[in-house]
Amino acid sequence: NAGVTQTPKFRILKIGQSMTLQCTQDMNHNYMYWYRQDPGMGLKLIYYSVGAGITDKGEVPNGYNVSRSTTEDFPLRLELAAPSQTSVYFCASSSSSRGQVTEAFFGQGTRLTVV
Amino acid sequence: GNSVTQMEGPVTLSEEAFLTINCTYTATGYPSLFWYVQYPGEGLQLLLKATKADDKGSNKGFEATYRKETTSFHLEKGSVQVSDSAVYFCALALTGGGNKLTFGTGTQLKVEL
């Protein structure tokens, strides 16, 4: 089982460049998420989606955009890269279940450096 | 708002030592509680969870009990191994909140021979 797949694994960007972090899942999960992980800060939610065509901001959305045109894919777009966006980015997905919280499955992460 | 506080690391232990990683939380509702583990170079994976007060989650020799009266979910293991070296994250999520996780800052565990 592939689970949650992120590409690329590593990327170096120059300030002002743009890029898209790809995320796809093969578990037919309705919910998908983007988190960033900074040293000593845990993971912070950037954006999330509860289904195709529906997205919403998380705790730290500034500087990012997302789209969810299919159940499987949830790309994260950086339009004007800034050094503050240097981080490790994790995509995750989970199933929807009425009345309970279900397990989140994470990709292996994308390590992004903005110079 | 919701928040999770866990003990800072790194925690360094000898193999077969007893492990406790403290975790406390604040939440606006009645959360489910989780421990996720991140091995070097990998994404996070669920270690254990508990969904209501007094529930005990357990997996791979680790366990944690949901204590509503102390708003805590401390992680314990009776005898750690070198292979347990990883970063451990305590997290919570509210029912009906899209399964969005609020994480603690993580605790790095190093187990030495």
Side-chain angles (χ1 to χ4, degrees):
Chain A
N1 283 340
V4 178
T5 303
Q6 292 181 236
T7 56
K9 287 186 168 51
F10 304 93
R11 183 72 187 268
I12 298 175
L13 276 183
K14 294 184 178 179
I15 294 171
Q17 286 185 322
S18 62
M19 76 165 293
T20 299
L21 281 67
Q22 301 292 344
C23 175
T24 187
Q25 52 94 5
D26 63 359
M27 296 172 282
N28 201 33
H29 286 167
N30 284 339
Y31 296 163
M32 295 189 75
Y33 317 85
W34 276 105
Y35 292 90
R36 59 176 287 172
Q37 181 183 26
D38 299 307
M41 300 292 290
L43 280 76
K44 302 292 186 184
L45 182 65
I46 305 171
Y47 271 95
Y48 68 101
S49 168
V50 298
I54 306 169
T55 62
D56 208 347
K57 296 177 180 179
E59 188 178 356
V60 290
N62 291 345
Y64 307 94
N65 280 298
V66 294
S67 60
R68 183 95 182 272
S69 57
T70 66
T71 298
E72 295 79 19
D73 300 309
F74 191 43
L76 178 71
R77 179 83 177 162
L78 284 71
E79 290 293 351
L80 290 170
S84 60
Q85 293 176 306
T86 295
S87 188
V88 181
Y89 292 84
F90 287 100
C91 181
S93 71
S94 66
S95 61
S96 57
S97 178
R98 182 173 294 184
Q100 63 178 323
V101 177
T102 57
E103 174 185 358
F105 293 82
F106 285 79
Q108 291 203 317
T110 297
R111 184 175 295 275
L112 176 66
T113 303
V114 182
V115 296
Chain B
N2 304 322
S3 66
V4 175
T5 302
Q6 58 181 109
M7 61 189 289
E8 290 193 19
V11 174
T12 303
L13 295 174
S14 298
E15 201 169 42
E16 299 184 1
F18 184 86
L19 169 71
T20 300
I21 300 177
N22 290 336
C23 171
T24 58
Y25 68 90
T26 59
T28 54
Y30 195 177
S32 294
L33 301 174
F34 303 84
W35 278 100
Y36 279 83
V37 58
Q38 183 180 30
Y39 298 103
E42 297 185 11
L44 282 71
Q45 55 187 274
L46 180 66
L47 180 60
L48 53 85
K49 72 175 186 180
T51 59
K52 61 183 187 296
D54 300 325
D55 266 2
K56 178 184 284 188
S58 61
N59 186 24
K60 300 181 181 180
F62 291 89
E63 57 183 35
T65 301
Y66 190 143
R67 300 288 188 200
K68 189 178 180 187
E69 64 276 13
T70 55
T71 61
S72 65
F73 193 54
H74 306 319
L75 183 68
E76 296 182 335
K77 187 176 185 183
S79 176
V80 294
Q81 306 299 312
V82 172
S83 57
D84 294 327
S85 298
V87 181
Y88 293 82
F89 292 92
C90 187
L92 67 82
L94 295 175
T95 304
N99 292 354
K100 294 176 290 182
L101 289 161
T102 298
F103 286 92
T105 54
T107 301
Q108 183 174 12
L109 171 66
K110 298 179 182 178
V111 181
E112 300 173 335
L113 289 170

